Amino acid sequence: MAAARADARRNRETVLRTAMCVFAEEGLGVSLGRIAQRAGVGAGTVYRHFPSKDILVEAVLAEHLESLVGAADRWAARAVPGEALFGFLLEVIDTSAGRLPVCEAITTDGSWPRAVLGAAEQRFHGALERLLRDAQQAGAVRADVRVDDLSALLAGGVAMRSTHRDQTRGSRLVRLTLDALRTPPVTKAFRDRPGKPRHETTAPRHCAECGARLPVRPTGRPPRYCGPTCRQRAHRRSR
């Protein structure tokens, strides 16, 4: 009895792995018989675990999300919060790029079964939220970023990575996009030292008429003359 259950579990896992590859290579129009052939099992085995293609497609995507939840846990355990989040986001995009046909079909058609996929989506978003919260608390990610922002960026990143003709440049664009999430560097503001006159570096130090040393003013326009007498004398001479 236990051996039969183990065989059934292995057959189900084999069908799931094969279906993901076949859907990515040949599209969703492929038949369950074709998937059974590629998996090396009988068609009855496929139908016993997945009575329809819709259920199989949903199970394939749910399995993918569950694997990503495990990846989120691994990133959280081996990296600092900011790098854990960005490493996870890049892994999601890289591993999902080859599954674009399945992802697009299941997310754009509301008639697909949702019970299994919905539970997997909740666990995925929970893992994503934990990574985001830790990264924000560490000051590595902008405070105004939300989980639904990350979900939108992931969908866009998968599309960018999949459709770009140059895979290297596509990956570079994805990284540039994700960098916008990082906390901007703090620019140090340089202020005058206490007691230093505002115009010390540019203001004249001596009267332009008599040469006497000018008084230092902490605010306002710097003087050019030591007093009214020199100012009037300079104005008369200029006239």
Side-chain angles (χ1 to χ4, degrees), residues 91-213:
E91 181 171 343
V92 171
I93 291 172
D94 287 342
T95 57
S96 302
R99 297 164 171 80
L100 188 60
V102 181
C103 296
E104 287 182 338
I106 199 98
T107 54
T108 57
D109 187 351
S111 65
W112 287 83
R114 288 286 173 173
V116 175
L117 182 59
E121 286 177 337
Q122 288 183 357
R123 285 188 287 272
F124 172 79
H125 281 92
L128 187 59
E129 186 174 15
R130 287 192 296 273
L131 288 177
L132 174 61
R133 183 179 62 248
D134 292 345
Q136 287 176 327
Q137 290 177 350
V141 175
R142 298 169 58 101
D144 58 348
V145 177
R146 302 186 307 183
V147 175
D148 54 346
D149 298 328
L150 297 184
S151 298
L153 282 175
L154 287 174
V158 170
M160 189 185 306
R161 173 79 164 67
S162 302
T163 58
H164 203 292
R165 290 179 295 179
D166 187 329
Q167 181 175 338
T168 301
R169 292 189 64 82
S171 297
R172 179 175 177 272
L173 287 176
V174 168
R175 290 178 179 274
L176 290 174
T177 302
L178 294 181
D179 281 344
L181 302 173
R182 298 184 185 274
T183 303
V186 177
T187 303
K188 183 179 179 180
F190 293 94
R191 299 181 178 179
D192 293 338
R193 293 189 298 272
K196 179 181 177 181
R198 180 182 300 180
H199 303 287
E200 182 178 342
T201 58
T202 59
R205 296 176 180 273
H206 300 85
C207 176
E209 182 63 24
C210 69
R213 188 172 181 83

Side-chain angles (χ1 to χ4, degrees), residues 17-35:
R17 289 195 303 270
T18 304
M20 176 59 75
C21 295
V22 175
F23 287 147
E25 295 170 3
E26 305 180 24
L28 296 180
V30 66
S31 66
L32 292 184
R34 170 66 174 157
I35 294 174

